[in-house]
Amino acid sequence: MDKIKNEKGMTLVEVLIAVVITSIVLTTLFSFLNVITRQYTKNNREVSVQNEVQTLMMQLENFIIDAEIDVATVTYNAADDEPTGIRLYILNDESFNVIGFSSDDRCLYYYEYSDQADNHASDDYKNASTRNAKLAAAQVDDDGEVEKNTDLQRYLFAENISVFSPEIHISETENYVSLVLELNNEGEVYRSAKNIFLRNQIVQPTATPSPGASVTPTPTPTPVI
Amino acid sequence: MKNRNGFSLIELIIVLAIMGVLMGFASVGINMLTSQSAKVVSRDVYNMIGSAQTVAMSKGNSYFMLSCDSTGNRRACVLYQRTESDGSTTWVILQEQELSNNCDINLVIGGNSYDLYQTTTGSHLQGVIIPIDRSTGRFQSVYFYSGDDTAPLGSAAADNCTDIIIQQGSRVYDIALVAATGKYYYK
């Protein structure tokens, strides 16, 4: 009964102290929580970047490894009427795959040659000069959109690519494509490099490739064989 | 008890103002919480497509499935068609993720939009199955879900699924699928 009669309650100072202590404890707790969630999202992004690069590498390897007739690269620079960057041409008996890196939007594109009537095994494609004329005819216009009257249809392959550098080593003694791929997603960087050894012996190249050389695609682009 | 003044107007107004502010915070919080489910669902779907692609490129015969049962429960799965030692095949669900019911899921297949609950014709769309090519990781033309997990492939749509749109109120997450490359991304 005596206890109940003490009706003084808490003083303002006591309440304030209690509030301050509670807030300090809560702030520490939440800052811990914040650190944990940030680390979690960082790890998540790291894993997804690695996963993306590895999947992409497998897809590209699949495109390249079965090359039958020719593998070639063409570099487009700002002066060309094309998205700047390097383009990799893989020519097979029955398909024609083009993988292009655009440094303007850091995206990798897959170009589908949509002229179904065209026979890729035809002599037009096996002969370098007539093939180049066909490649020149199938180009993307300068805003990156594929025009309807060309034969190339463009599809997004990958985003946030910082490095795409295929180097072609095809000679009497070597038969592989060395590919470096780097993805940079908001500072999360993952790089993968691979030598892709071709299953088929590519036709002996007529010209020696000059690494990093820019080739003007018009009027006839000269893909380095 | 002798103090019979009651509350003054100012005190009441202050109390009401505080309550109003608290209610405002609460409604914003509830709104954020509920619209989270579209984000969570889109992330689950996105991650499941990635898993299906990884399985496809390592083991082959892998399918991504979005399905909805008769009670409206939806899930995203990685399906795998396993070849037994006697040559027969069995369907296995390698990964399964229940999806929240608080958002709409629309599928764009060959330019037509399908609600994962109801098709445009009003019939029940039980789900869609996207086969993934083993060597290229490409998305192939889709099958409708038969409703039976032991033989899930229903009729073939003969078209590609180009978008999975997850919507809740004003929040829209559009996962675009590029069939030619096997790329999927948030639009």
Side-chain angles (χ1 to χ4, degrees):
Chain A
M1 290 297 276
D2 279 355
K3 273 182 186 169
I4 288 174
K5 278 192 178 161
N6 177 10
E7 298 203 336
K8 277 181 179 172
M10 292 185 279
T11 67
L12 180 63
V13 176
E14 286 168 343
V15 173
L16 280 181
I17 290 172
V19 168
V20 167
I21 292 174
T22 321
S23 63
I24 288 174
V25 171
L26 282 181
T27 325
T28 356
L29 277 180
F30 274 103
S31 64
F32 271 120
L33 198 69
N34 197 18
V35 168
I36 291 168
T37 45
R38 214 179 299 167
Q39 191 60 41
Y40 174 77
T41 42
K42 188 180 180 295
N43 287 352
N44 246 359
R45 207 165 58 214
E46 204 173 318
V47 168
S48 73
V49 164
Q50 291 185 12
N51 184 41
E52 208 173 329
V53 170
Q54 281 162 6
T55 309
L56 192 60
M57 199 51 144
M58 280 165 75
Q59 288 176 298
L60 291 172
E61 185 181 355
N62 173 75
F63 273 124
I64 297 169
I65 201 163
D66 284 325
E68 286 165 318
I69 300 175
D70 195 10
V71 181
T73 57
V74 176
T75 306
Y76 292 94
N77 55 41
D80 299 318
D81 200 16
E82 287 286 290
T84 56
I86 195 162
R87 228 177 268 181
L88 179 67
Y89 293 89
I90 302 135
L91 192 63
N92 303 322
D93 280 334
E94 281 171 5
S95 66
F96 175 39
N97 298 312
V98 183
I99 292 144
F101 172 59
S102 159
S103 53
D104 301 336
D105 53 7
R106 305 204 311 146
C107 284
L108 204 60
Y109 293 98
Y110 168 69
Y111 297 83
E112 194 172 68
Y113 194 85
S114 57
D115 189 352
Q116 297 292 334
D118 221 342
N119 180 6
H120 295 104
S122 73
D123 290 341
D124 277 359
Y125 278 93
K126 286 178 177 162
N127 180 309
S129 63
T130 44
R131 178 174 68 236
N132 290 344
K134 277 190 172 289
L135 295 185
Q139 281 181 9
V140 186
D141 68 6
D142 51 354
D143 61 358
E145 296 294 318
V146 177
E147 295 201 319
K148 286 214 170 63
N149 58 0
T150 66
D151 294 333
L152 284 185
Q153 189 70 41
R154 193 173 81 161
Y155 298 99
L156 183 63
F157 207 149
E159 294 166 298
N160 302 318
I161 301 290
S162 43
V163 176
F164 173 73
S165 109
E167 270 180 44
I168 295 168
H169 302 269
I170 293 175
S171 67
E172 282 175 338
T173 50
E174 321 173 288
N175 195 30
Y176 68 96
V177 176
S178 157
L179 182 62
V180 180
L181 199 63
E182 188 184 277
L183 202 140
N184 184 340
N185 186 4
E186 293 168 38
E188 208 60 66
V189 183
Y190 189 77
R191 178 187 272 255
S192 174
K194 195 165 194 178
N195 287 340
I196 301 164
F197 290 88
L198 306 182
R199 288 200 182 118
N200 309 308
Q201 187 62 51
I202 301 295
V203 190
Q204 175 67 28
T206 49
T208 325
S210 45
S214 168
V215 182
T216 314
T218 45
T220 48
T222 49
V224 185
I225 298 170
Chain B
M1 290 298 279
K2 277 189 180 166
N3 175 7
R4 298 199 152 209
N5 280 341
F7 299 114
S8 74
L9 181 62
I10 295 178
E11 285 167 344
L12 267 177
I13 289 174
I14 291 174
V15 169
L16 284 177
I18 292 174
M19 280 175 72
V21 169
L22 285 179
M23 297 275 265
F25 276 120
S27 70
V28 168
I30 288 171
N31 196 15
M32 273 173 65
L33 273 181
T34 50
S35 60
Q36 281 289 310
S37 68
K39 191 177 180 182
V40 170
V41 165
S42 69
R43 206 180 54 209
D44 285 343
V45 169
Y46 187 90
N47 290 341
M48 198 58 78
I49 299 172
S51 303
Q53 206 173 43
T54 307
V55 172
M57 295 186 76
S58 54
K59 299 170 78 168
N61 291 330
S62 166
Y63 300 76
F64 168 73
M65 174 167 87
L66 266 179
S67 75
C68 174
D69 67 17
S70 52
T71 54
N73 292 324
R74 293 176 291 187
R75 62 193 171 140
C77 310
V78 177
L79 287 181
Y80 176 63
Q81 194 179 22
R82 191 174 59 201
T83 309
E84 305 294 349
S85 51
D86 61 357
S88 64
T89 55
T90 16
W91 287 89
V92 193
I93 294 177
L94 289 185
Q95 278 185 59
E96 190 171 16
Q97 176 69 51
E98 296 280 334
L99 303 176
S100 159
N101 282 331
N102 295 333
C103 52
D104 295 328
I105 301 180
N106 282 289
L107 301 153
V108 181
I109 299 167
N112 298 318
S113 183
Y114 296 91
D115 192 316
L116 196 54
Y117 280 122
Q118 305 285 325
T119 60
T120 44
T121 54
S123 62
H124 195 71
L125 181 63
Q126 289 180 299
V128 73
I129 296 171
I130 306 176
I132 301 169
D133 184 72
R134 176 172 192 165
S135 50
T136 57
R138 286 174 173 172
F139 304 117
Q140 295 167 332
S141 61
V142 302
Y143 293 90
F144 292 116
Y145 176 50
S146 68
D148 177 10
D149 279 354
T150 58
L153 288 191
S155 61
D159 262 316
N160 288 312
C161 179
T162 50
D163 291 271
I164 299 171
I165 301 164
I166 293 127
Q167 190 170 12
Q168 183 180 41
S170 59
R171 294 216 180 191
V172 181
Y173 297 91
D174 186 341
I175 302 174
L177 307 174
V178 185
T181 58
K183 168 77 182 165
Y184 53 100
Y185 61 99
Y186 286 108
K187 241 183 196 172

